[in-house]
Amino acid sequence: MASPQAKAIVTELERKLTPLGPFRAKPMFSGYGLYLDGVIFGLVLRENFYLKVDDQNRPDFVKAKSQPFRYETRKGEVTVDSYWRCPSKVMAAAGTLQEWVEKSVAASRRIGAKKKPRPSKPRPRRNPLL
């Protein structure tokens, strides 16, 4: 179940990002997956907001001294380099936030275009005698 802080972040994002198109937040793990026009661009987990990152927009996050998404497991820390924390100064300004989100949507589309489509599973043959 999502925390009250995560719900508050989603409410703020919805207000600021509505001009970009249909915004949707789907419950996911202990937070939300964030979508714009059906494309995932970010995550809200606990009190943190993360944006989708690839090689083209990663320099913006490095320059802002942001960090990638990390979590702990029994075997140690795991870093997810495809999502980085949104800097607070970006979150504070709606126009800047919209620019960063548009870059994250583009990153998500580029990453999706590189993936090979999943092979469809063959349907089981029906017994014509039944």
Side-chain angles (χ1 to χ4, degrees):
M1 183 168 177
S3 70
Q5 296 94 339
K7 290 178 183 179
I9 292 170
V10 168
T11 301
E12 181 180 356
L13 289 170
E14 185 172 23
R15 184 176 50 80
K16 290 180 177 179
L17 299 178
T18 298
L20 296 180
F23 173 85
R24 186 166 177 206
K26 290 184 182 179
M28 180 179 195
F29 308 115
S30 62
Y32 297 93
L34 306 175
Y35 297 79
L36 208 69
D37 289 327
V39 176
I40 191 163
F41 70 88
L43 303 171
V44 174
L45 299 169
R46 297 179 193 89
E47 68 278 351
N48 298 305
F49 169 42
Y50 299 92
L51 288 167
K52 187 76 167 177
V53 175
D54 71 354
D55 290 340
Q56 289 189 28
N57 66 341
R58 185 173 291 109
D60 296 337
F61 290 85
V62 172
K63 185 177 178 182
K65 297 182 176 152
S66 180
Q67 297 292 317
F69 173 55
R70 292 185 174 104
Y71 63 94
E72 289 290 328
T73 68
R74 291 181 194 165
K75 295 182 180 182
E77 187 176 75
V78 175
T79 299
V80 180
D81 199 44
S82 58
Y83 286 95
W84 285 52
R85 185 175 293 165
C86 180
S88 56
K89 66 179 181 175
V90 171
M91 185 71 172
T96 306
L97 176 63
Q98 289 173 4
E99 290 174 16
W100 281 55
V101 166
E102 286 176 325
K103 289 179 181 181
S104 290
V105 169
S108 189
R109 286 190 171 122
R110 284 189 298 271
I111 291 167
K114 290 180 185 177
K115 291 182 180 178
K116 294 180 181 178
R118 289 182 179 176
S120 60
K121 293 181 181 178
R123 291 184 180 190
R125 299 186 118 194
R126 293 182 184 241
N127 186 336
L129 299 175
L130 293 178

